[in-house]
């Protein structure tokens, strides 16, 4: 609830025997703020009621930056699962310092809807591409879905064939509405 929290100064000191170090941080907490209003604006793509269900920050509660960040992540993930890979959610605070109240407006910019152009697999020497591709839940020429990519990664890790599975999604050159999915795998010794 401390909106005005600030670390005013820090000091570092070494003990005379040079075996210990002391760090002193002077902090100013400020006052605790209550949330007076939570709203959603911008191009929400889905009905506002669906986004409002994802809000963890509630009117009347004490302000929490952790809940603010979690709400931001939830909205971004929901939009990412329906093809808006580059969605931006910006919480805009309206602070009333006299009453110690804060209003928050989640401004949503979904960006372009993104399609997966191509899926590339790198690092597989012994494992055939079709063994990897049948575990994927994200498909070429379909809308981007972060949930499908996460599920694909888990399925590949559960095969037991790979030490690591990394997924990258670079933008397709010259196409802001398309991405490539690059799977980097490191095969495990059999």
């Amino acid at each position: 609830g401390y909106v005005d929290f600030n670390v005013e100064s820090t000091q570092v000191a070494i003990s005379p025997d040079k075996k210990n170090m002391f760090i002193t941080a002077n902090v100013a907490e400020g006052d605790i703020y209550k949330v007076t209003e939570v709203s959603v604006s911008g191009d929400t793509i889905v009905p506002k009621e669906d986004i409002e269900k994802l809000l963890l920050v509630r009117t009347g509660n004490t302000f929490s930056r952790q809940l603010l960040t979690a709400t931001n992540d939830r909205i971004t993930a929901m939009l990412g699962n329906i093809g808006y890979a580059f969605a931006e959610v910006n919480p805009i605070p309206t602070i009333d310092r006299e009453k110690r109240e804060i209003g928050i407006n989640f401004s949503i910019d979904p960006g372009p809807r993104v399609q997966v152009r191509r899926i590339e697999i790198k690092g597989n020497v012994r494992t055939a591409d079709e063994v990897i591709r049948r575990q994927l839940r994200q498909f070429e020429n379909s809308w981007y879905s972060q949930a499908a990519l996460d599920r694909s990664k888990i399925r590949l890790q559960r095969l037991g064939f790979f030490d690591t599975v990394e997924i990258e999604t670079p933008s397709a050159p010259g196409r802001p509405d398309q991405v490539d999915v690059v799977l980097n795998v490191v095969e495990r010794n059999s």
Side-chain angles (χ1 to χ4, degrees), residues 42-158:
D43 188 5
T44 59
I45 302 298
V46 297
K48 279 190 179 182
E49 297 80 32
D50 292 347
I51 291 183
E52 289 171 353
K53 291 177 186 174
L54 300 175
L55 300 177
L56 298 173
V57 179
R58 305 263 189 242
T59 302
N61 289 354
T62 301
F63 172 77
S64 169
R65 193 170 307 275
Q66 183 178 8
L67 292 179
L68 186 75
T69 303
T71 300
N72 196 7
D73 293 344
R74 289 174 71 165
I75 296 170
T76 304
M78 192 260 306
L79 292 172
N81 289 337
I82 58 173
Y84 296 93
F86 306 116
E88 291 184 20
V89 179
N90 297 313
I92 301 170
T94 305
I95 300 172
D96 184 349
R97 298 198 190 285
E98 292 177 8
K99 296 180 181 178
R100 292 188 300 266
E101 296 176 339
I102 185 168
I104 300 168
N105 176 25
F106 289 94
S107 175
I108 299 173
D109 178 18
R113 194 163 188 201
V114 177
Q115 192 174 23
V116 175
R117 181 180 73 159
R118 183 179 11 199
I119 297 176
E120 295 179 39
I121 303 168
K122 296 181 179 179
N124 59 321
V125 178
R126 292 183 308 274
T127 309
D129 275 11
E130 53 266 13
V131 172
I132 295 172
R133 287 185 183 274
R134 71 176 164 225
Q135 299 300 323
L136 299 181
R137 293 299 168 250
Q138 176 68 64
F139 304 110
E140 292 176 341
N141 297 319
S142 65
W143 295 118
Y144 174 91
S145 171
Q146 186 61 49
L149 286 175
D150 293 342
R151 186 72 186 136
S152 299
K153 182 176 179 176
I154 290 169
R155 290 176 61 93
L156 287 169
Q157 289 170 334
R158 286 184 180 167

Side-chain angles (χ1 to χ4, degrees), residues 4-6 8 14 19-20 22 24 36 40-41 54 73-74 87 95 100 102 113 135 144-145 158 160 164 179:
D4 297 324
F5 174 82
N6 187 27
E8 293 179 340
I14 299 175
K19 292 185 179 181
N20 297 313
F22 302 101
T24 305
T36 57
V40 176
S41 66
L54 300 175
D73 293 344
R74 289 174 71 165
I95 300 172
R100 292 188 300 266
I102 185 168
R113 194 163 188 201
Q135 299 300 323
Y144 174 91
S145 171
R158 286 184 180 167
T164 61
V179 295

Side-chain angles (χ1 to χ4, degrees), residues 4-31:
D4 297 324
F5 174 82
N6 187 27
V7 177
E8 293 179 340
S9 67
T10 57
Q11 298 172 348
V12 179
I14 299 175
S15 65
D17 60 0
K18 298 187 184 200
K19 292 185 179 181
N20 297 313
M21 184 178 287
F22 302 101
I23 300 174
T24 305
N26 295 322
V27 298
E29 294 174 346
D31 295 320

